[in-house]
Amino acid sequence: GVNAMAIHGFVITQDTDTYVEGYRPIQWGGRPFCRPGGERAAIWLEQTGPSRTRVAVHSEKTTFHMCQKEWTGPILLEIRKTLEQSK
């Protein structure tokens, strides 16, 4: 989970066996009124069997910055790629 967030520029603020949380720092400069970053994301992990884990991802944009992204899909895709590589 941590790598799936870090690869997209998230700073990890909490990391346990079942929960990862982080945020993307705001990027200053660039276009006026467009400040990427500030998004928050969390990953919940729940073991449902000997070799099965349920993953839930939630991301949110802040209301104060434009040019932010929804990160749930990209984080889940990165988790899937990591799992496929470990097979």
Side-chain angles (χ1 to χ4, degrees):
V2 171
N3 290 341
M5 291 175 67
I7 201 163
H8 291 295
F10 281 83
V11 173
I12 306 305
T13 56
Q14 190 171 348
D15 178 14
T16 69
D17 290 341
T18 59
Y19 181 74
V20 180
E21 181 179 291
Y23 71 93
R24 289 187 71 237
I26 296 171
Q27 300 173 15
W28 301 101
R31 301 180 305 192
F33 305 108
C34 182
R35 303 286 183 255
E39 304 97 325
R40 298 192 167 280
I43 302 171
W44 289 266
L45 304 168
E46 177 188 358
Q47 188 169 356
T48 58
S51 61
R52 295 183 62 95
T53 301
R54 178 179 294 140
V55 177
V57 177
H58 173 75
S59 70
E60 59 186 38
K61 302 175 187 177
T62 62
T63 57
F64 302 110
H65 304 285
M66 299 181 72
C67 302
Q68 293 183 336
K69 226 178 134 171
E70 164 58 49
W71 289 100
T72 301
I75 290 170
L76 282 170
L77 182 62
E78 199 61 42
I79 291 170
R80 177 175 285 155
K81 286 187 338 189
T82 300
L83 290 172
E84 287 174 357
Q85 289 173 354
S86 67
K87 288 182 179 180

